[in-house]
Amino acid sequence: MKIFIDTANIEKIKEINDWGILDGVTTNPSLIAKEGKDLKTIVTEISKIVDGPISAEVMSMDAEGMVKEGRELAKIHPNINIKLPMCVETLKATKVLSSEGIKVNVTLIFSSQQALLAAKAGAAFVSPFLGRLDDIGTDGIQLIAEIMTIFNNYGFNTQVIAASIRGPMHVSAVAQIGCDIATIPYDVLKKMIEHPKTSEGIAKFIADYEKSQKN
Ligand code: E4P
């Protein structure tokens, strides 16, 4: 499973990229807003750090505007993907952009039917939001499994990005069902490394070794 980071914060992206496990980055307008810089500046900076897909979301809500904004953003770097929110205009814009070789990530996916339509329009990625479904008492993991089954049944090349991940258990669950990509917040990535028995084990190895050297 590929691991993306779900943030627009340059320092956090640099830190996780240094781990050597990062395959890409997703941003969204709320994440960009937190950074106090404009979208183009941020994705340009990210493209200099991470060698993998970087999702940049457009703000137009009509197909023509989405295509125009998408083409502009795609000029920044070949790794830039255009993130479009699921709606009829997005299907139209996805068709155009993907026919020009510009990869589209259809976001705000909350049903397998939406994912099917996005894939048929030529989306390179779909982003089902599992945490936001869990929030309203619906099974987000089940949605990822449904989409994976549908895409496998028909051989779609569209990759599934498990989005809106809230904790390490979400990551394990989507990995077990063979999801292509998980886009993971910084705090969750940090938690994935930790285990109290690992810390305890390291401390004991160091203490035992140091004691032996004093004898
Ligand atoms: C997806 O690409 C989105 O940026 C993101 O995962 C949304 O997650 P949230 O529900 O934590 O805002």
Side-chain angles (χ1 to χ4, degrees):
M1 184 173 70
K2 288 184 186 149
I3 290 183
F4 289 7
I5 186 167
D6 195 27
T7 185
N9 183 278
I10 299 297
E11 291 314 310
K12 288 177 178 170
I13 292 169
K14 277 187 188 156
E15 182 185 332
I16 303 300
N17 190 55
D18 283 348
W19 291 5
I21 52 85
L22 195 61
D23 299 301
V25 180
T26 53
T27 67
N28 66 39
S30 306
L31 294 172
I32 296 286
K34 280 190 201 165
E35 303 305 318
K37 288 185 265 183
D38 68 284
L39 173 65
K40 281 188 183 172
T41 305
I42 290 175
V43 292
T44 303
E45 285 181 48
I46 298 173
S47 66
K48 289 178 188 155
I49 303 164
V50 179
D51 184 19
I54 300 158
S55 287
E57 191 156 340
V58 306
M59 296 311 295
S60 298
M61 285 309 294
D62 63 295
E64 200 181 326
M66 288 171 173
V67 169
K68 193 164 170 259
E69 266 190 79
R71 284 176 182 150
E72 280 304 305
L73 288 166
K75 278 185 204 155
I76 295 174
H77 193 280
N79 283 342
I80 305 289
N81 306 145
I82 307 310
K83 208 172 182 192
L84 303 175
M86 182 63 199
C87 62
V88 171
E89 293 302 297
T90 277
L91 294 181
K92 296 178 195 169
T94 299
K95 192 93 190 162
V96 176
L97 290 169
S98 61
S99 74
E100 294 175 7
I102 297 172
K103 289 186 176 169
V104 174
N105 173 3
V106 179
T107 190
L108 289 167
I109 294 282
F110 289 95
S111 75
S112 53
Q113 304 91 311
Q114 290 178 322
L116 174 62
L117 292 173
K120 286 191 70 75
F125 307 97
V126 288
S127 293
F129 277 37
L130 63 97
R132 292 194 198 183
L133 276 174
D134 287 358
D135 289 345
I136 55 163
T138 309
D139 189 349
I141 300 297
Q142 175 60 29
L143 171 62
I144 308 276
E146 279 177 28
I147 298 171
M148 292 300 300
T149 302
I150 292 169
F151 286 5
N152 287 335
N153 283 348
Y154 298 100
F156 284 113
N157 290 324
T158 310
Q159 294 185 68
V160 180
I161 305 180
S164 187
I165 283 185
R166 297 283 162 75
M169 292 301 287
H170 272 161
V171 180
S172 302
V174 298
Q176 285 173 61
I177 55 179
C179 191
D180 302 294
I181 302 159
T183 189
I184 309 174
Y186 172 83
D187 293 348
V188 177
L189 283 161
K190 300 277 275 194
K191 283 182 196 159
M192 284 166 63
I193 292 230
E194 291 159 16
H195 194 286
K197 296 303 282 182
T198 305
S199 311
E200 184 188 299
I202 290 171
K204 181 161 170 36
F205 284 153
I206 292 171
D208 287 349
Y209 183 75
E210 282 176 352
K211 203 162 65 184
S212 78
Q213 298 306 298
K214 285 179 194 147
N215 297 333

